Amino acid sequence: NAGVTQTPKFQVLKTGQSMTLQCAQDMNHNSMYWYRQDPGMGLRLIYYSASEGTTDKGEVPNGYNVSRLNKREFSLRLESAAPSQTSVYFCASSPQGVGTEAFFGQGTRLTVV
Amino acid sequence: GENVEQHPSTLSVQEGDSAVIKCTYSDSASNYFPWYKQELGKGPQLIIDIRSNVGEKKDQRIAVTLNKTAKHFSLHITETQPEDSAVYFCAASIGESSTLTFGKGTMLLVSP
C-alpha cells in the first residue's frame, strides 16, 4: 500500500517547455487534489477532482490543466512553463468529500529556468 | 471564501517545553479543522483533527482546542522533543463539498 505516489520527484524545465506531473493513489479515494507550496505562502489549491470524471478550479489554476484519468490517477499539465511556476507540487487524495482528511504525496520539486 | 490566519510563523522552544500554535478562520460555517505536520522534504501528514461539535481533542502529547464563538482553534504540543521540529499547518473547511483552506504554516524548532 504505497498511498499517494507522485512522479517525478525533481524536474528542471526551460521557459516555454511543457510537462505533465503524474499522481496515483491506491487507497480507492474519491477526491484528488493538486497543490503548490511556495515559501511563506502555505499550500494553495490549483485544481481538484471531487470524483472520477469531474474537475474544478482551485485558488491558482492559471497556467495549468488537469486530467482525472480514472479513479486512481490525477495528472497536472503545464503547457508552457514560466519561472513563476517554480514551486513544490503536492498531490493529495481524500476518501470522501473534498473538505475532509487529505493524504499527501511526497511532492515534486519543479524549477523553471 | 474562507480565510485562515496562522500564528506564529516561527516558534523556537527548548526540549520539554510546551508549544502552542493558533489559527483563526473567517467563515462561521466551517466545521472541520485538521492539523498537518510537514517534515523536511516530505509531504504534509495529518496529525490530529477536530469537528465543530467538539471543543477539545487529545492524542498523547498533542491536543487541539476549538472556540467557535471566537472562530479560532489551537494546536498544543506538550513535552516537546527534537523530532517535533517541523512545519505545522492548520486548515479549515465548511463541509464535504468545500475544499480545505490552509494557513501559511508555523516552523517549530525544538532545541535539545
Side-chain angles (χ1 to χ4, degrees):
Chain A
N1 189 342
V4 178
T5 302
Q6 293 182 233
T7 55
K9 289 186 170 51
F10 301 93
Q11 183 71 49
V12 178
L13 287 179
K14 294 182 179 179
T15 297
Q17 286 186 319
S18 63
M19 80 161 295
T20 299
L21 280 64
Q22 307 286 353
C23 175
Q25 52 91 8
D26 61 2
M27 298 175 284
N28 199 35
H29 285 177
N30 288 326
S31 303
M32 297 186 73
Y33 320 84
W34 277 104
Y35 289 90
R36 61 177 289 174
Q37 184 176 30
D38 302 291
M41 299 296 291
L43 292 157
R44 293 185 292 170
L45 184 63
I46 305 171
Y47 270 94
Y48 66 99
S49 171
S51 61
E52 184 178 356
T54 69
T55 60
D56 286 286
K57 294 178 180 180
E59 180 185 356
V60 288
N62 291 345
Y64 306 95
N65 285 301
V66 291
S67 296
R68 185 74 182 266
L69 305 170
N70 47 55
K71 191 171 185 179
R72 292 185 62 251
E73 298 173 289
F74 189 40
S75 62
L76 177 71
R77 182 160 178 84
L78 286 70
E79 290 292 350
S80 179
S84 60
Q85 294 178 304
T86 293
S87 187
V88 180
Y89 292 85
F90 288 100
C91 178
S93 67
S94 295
Q96 302 296 334
V98 295
T100 59
E101 177 184 3
F103 294 78
F104 285 81
Q106 295 283 71
T108 295
R109 184 174 293 277
L110 175 67
T111 302
V112 183
V113 298
Chain B
E2 175 68 279
N3 182 51
V4 176
E5 300 281 342
Q6 183 171 347
H7 300 280
S9 57
T10 59
L11 178 60
S12 294
V13 300
Q14 293 290 321
E15 183 176 0
D17 288 349
S18 294
V20 180
I21 303 170
K22 299 180 180 180
C23 289
T24 60
Y25 59 98
S26 61
D27 195 324
S28 57
S30 290
N31 59 12
Y32 177 62
F33 307 93
W35 286 89
Y36 288 82
K37 176 183 180 182
Q38 184 180 26
E39 297 176 340
L40 192 63
K42 297 185 177 181
Q45 182 176 15
L46 180 73
I47 55 172
I48 194 168
D49 57 9
I50 192 169
R51 299 189 182 277
S52 59
N53 58 346
V54 176
E56 183 176 2
K57 184 176 180 181
K58 290 183 179 180
D59 183 3
Q60 298 183 359
R61 296 187 297 108
I62 61 173
V64 57
T65 58
L66 172 65
N67 183 326
K68 291 186 291 183
T69 302
K71 291 189 288 187
H72 68 70
F73 56 111
S74 299
L75 177 71
H76 304 255
I77 306 174
T78 59
E79 300 174 18
T80 54
Q81 301 168 2
E83 50 264 40
D84 294 329
S85 296
V87 178
Y88 291 82
F89 291 97
C90 63
S93 73
I94 297 173
E96 289 199 2
S97 60
S98 171
T99 57
L100 290 171
T101 299
F102 284 85
K104 287 184 168 47
T106 296
M107 179 175 291
L108 173 65
L109 177 62
V110 181
S111 302

